[in-house]
Amino acid sequence: MWVRRFYTDSLTRLVDEFPAVLVTGPRQVGKTSLLKHRYPTWTYVSFDHPAQAGFAEISPEEFLDSLQEPVI
């Protein structure tokens, strides 16, 4: 069951207007869930995975080049 989030319309409008949007807030409030639900075909990257975080830190340009846009 999906609970519609208050910020869905604002997020959609901002994503349409800007090349990058920062979604921030406390832990466990649904930021990732909102993004994954609203943009299910976008590439999702999490730096919770040590290997992925290490690759991004050591070779940021290669890391970014390896991603298929758009990216969450």
Side-chain angles (χ1 to χ4, degrees):
M1 180 177 127
W2 176 251
V3 176
R4 182 170 164 76
R5 304 305 199 274
F6 176 79
Y7 291 104
T8 301
D9 293 337
S10 297
L11 173 66
T12 302
R13 188 176 59 255
L14 290 168
V15 166
D16 289 342
E17 291 179 27
F18 296 97
V21 176
L22 172 67
V23 178
T24 185
R27 292 179 41 130
Q28 303 293 313
V29 296
K31 300 176 299 291
T32 300
S33 295
L34 169 62
L35 291 167
K36 284 183 167 184
H37 180 80
R38 179 65 185 88
Y39 303 103
T41 61
W42 288 22
T43 302
Y44 174 75
V45 176
S46 172
F47 293 120
D48 290 338
H49 305 288
Q52 202 160 32
F55 179 37
E57 188 173 347
I58 293 168
S59 302
E61 288 183 28
E62 284 183 60
F63 172 74
L64 292 174
D65 288 342
S66 74
L67 301 174
Q68 182 178 349
E69 294 184 17
V71 179
I72 297 171

